[in-house]
């Protein structure tokens, strides 16, 4: 009986060592992977222009590449100094809205006013975004 128990313990130990050795060998035999991500970021080209009191702010205009899937607000904040609260823009590059004058920032894309906020409008290739700071 003691001989049988020793034999079972020996077989169990051998099986355990073999199992541990196999997973260790499998891990060693897998090809090494790079720690850098191989994800390619896709960009789209868009243009920004600005108007205040119905006058163009040409010094702020630019064409730029932004990440595909990025919102108007995200792209604006990546390219300009922006003050916003909850998605509502109150200042762009120091040009501030004036509530007493009913002067607020609004935006258009391709000469049309979107029905969603700037944080929800996803940019597409060739979009022309115009920010307007006028009395309404």
């Amino acid at each position: 009986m003691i001989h049988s128990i020793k034999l079972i313990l020996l077989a169990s130990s051998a099986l355990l060592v073999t199992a541990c050795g196999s997973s260790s060998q499998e891990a060693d035999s897998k090809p090494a992977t790079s720690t850098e991500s191989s994800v390619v970021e896709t960009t789209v080209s868009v243009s920004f222009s600005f108007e205040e009191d119905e006058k163009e702010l040409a010094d702020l205009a630019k064409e730029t590449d932004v990440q595909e899937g990025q919102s108007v607000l995200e792209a604006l904040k990546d390219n300009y100094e922006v003050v916003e609260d909850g998605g509502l823009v109150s200042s762009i590059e120091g040009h501030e809205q004036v509530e007493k004058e009913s002067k607020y920032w609004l935006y258009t894309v391709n000469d049309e006013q979107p029905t969603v906020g700037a944080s929800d409008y996803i940019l597409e290739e060739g979009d022309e975004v115009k920010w307007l700071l006028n009395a309404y």
Side-chain angles (χ1 to χ4, degrees):
M1 177 84 165
I2 293 179
H3 183 49
S4 296
I5 293 175
K6 286 182 181 179
L7 188 58
I8 291 173
L9 287 174
L10 183 62
S12 297
S13 297
L15 182 61
L16 185 61
V17 169
T18 304
C20 290
S22 293
S23 65
S24 180
Q25 288 174 341
E26 285 176 22
D28 292 341
S29 66
K30 290 181 183 177
T33 57
S34 173
T35 57
E36 292 181 26
S37 175
S38 62
V39 175
V40 176
E41 290 184 13
T42 305
T43 59
V44 293
S45 295
V46 298
S47 64
F48 284 99
S49 61
F50 300 85
E51 178 182 293
E52 182 175 3
D53 297 326
E54 300 184 17
K55 295 177 185 167
E56 183 179 357
L57 300 172
D59 58 322
L60 296 181
K62 73 165 77 171
E63 290 186 27
T64 188
D65 290 335
V66 300
Q67 289 180 337
E68 185 175 41
Q70 199 168 32
S71 72
V72 169
L73 183 59
E74 291 169 327
L76 181 69
K77 290 168 69 174
D78 284 351
N79 287 279
Y80 297 92
E81 183 180 321
V82 176
V83 176
E84 60 92 17
D85 183 25
L88 298 175
V89 174
S90 59
S91 176
I92 301 173
E93 292 291 319
H95 298 267
E96 297 180 1
Q97 65 186 22
V98 182
E99 290 182 37
K100 290 180 183 178
E101 297 174 17
S102 296
K103 187 174 168 180
Y104 300 98
W105 279 110
L106 296 177
Y107 78 102
T108 63
V109 178
N110 304 323
D111 295 321
E112 294 183 17
Q113 190 168 0
T115 57
V116 297
S119 62
D120 294 324
Y121 191 99
I122 304 302
L123 291 166
E124 296 179 358
E125 179 67 34
D127 278 345
E128 296 177 3
V129 179
K130 185 169 192 173
W131 283 91
L132 307 148
L133 181 59
N134 297 315
Y136 297 98

